[in-house]
Amino acid sequence: MEITVEKIAMIRESCNPKNQNLNLDIDWSVEYTNTDQNDINYDIILKSADFFNLNFKIEGLIILGDFEKFSRQDCSQIIFHHACNMLMNMISLTKQSSYDLLKEEIIQ
């Protein structure tokens, strides 16, 4: 079985939480289409509405090999686990950062 990611979208607040430890209470859902075929499309949506409002969506594809059967429960757990890891990485990548550059560094 191969699980791929085709698209990622994240909508988050413009301001970052001031707390160093980010605890998210996540609501999530996975929807599947074409479950009777060897190529199954999925959409997973993660939502947090507590103190850090964000929506995160992944669209992807599950490709079953010969003689493999689709298990909604197993695939949902795997996809959710990887989606949470991607979400945390995206939050880290999009956090606000300030950089002080010296004029000399810019000229060189």
Side-chain angles (χ1 to χ4, degrees), residues 11-67:
I11 301 171
R12 58 170 280 185
E13 290 183 349
S14 59
C15 62
N16 287 312
K18 300 298 180 194
N19 189 351
Q20 292 288 336
N21 297 322
L22 181 60
N23 295 319
L24 298 176
D25 185 17
I26 299 286
D27 287 330
W28 63 284
S29 64
V30 182
E31 294 182 15
Y32 297 99
T33 56
N34 304 328
T35 57
D36 57 339
Q37 299 176 11
N38 283 345
D39 294 351
I40 302 166
N41 296 311
Y42 72 88
D43 292 344
I44 182 167
I45 299 172
L46 305 175
K47 292 182 182 182
S48 173
D50 286 346
F51 97 110
F52 185 62
N53 188 21
L54 82 102
N55 292 313
F56 187 68
K57 180 179 180 180
I58 297 175
E59 295 177 12
L61 184 66
I62 299 170
I63 302 169
L64 298 176
D66 295 336
F67 309 110

Side-chain angles (χ1 to χ4, degrees), residues 29-106:
S29 64
V30 182
E31 294 182 15
Y32 297 99
T33 56
N34 304 328
T35 57
D36 57 339
Q37 299 176 11
N38 283 345
D39 294 351
I40 302 166
N41 296 311
Y42 72 88
D43 292 344
I44 182 167
I45 299 172
L46 305 175
K47 292 182 182 182
S48 173
D50 286 346
F51 97 110
F52 185 62
N53 188 21
L54 82 102
N55 292 313
F56 187 68
K57 180 179 180 180
I58 297 175
E59 295 177 12
L61 184 66
I62 299 170
I63 302 169
L64 298 176
D66 295 336
F67 309 110
E68 285 185 313
K69 292 187 179 181
F70 173 67
S71 169
R72 185 180 298 266
Q73 182 177 358
D74 291 342
C75 288
S76 294
Q77 289 175 353
I78 292 168
I79 291 168
F80 174 70
H81 174 74
H82 287 289
C84 286
N85 287 338
M86 284 187 234
L87 172 62
M88 296 312 292
N89 288 335
M90 292 290 289
I91 289 172
S92 293
L93 287 172
T94 59
K95 69 181 180 182
Q96 290 176 334
S97 300
S98 297
Y99 300 99
D100 292 327
L101 299 176
L102 299 175
K103 241 182 181 178
E104 295 174 30
E105 292 176 359
I106 296 172

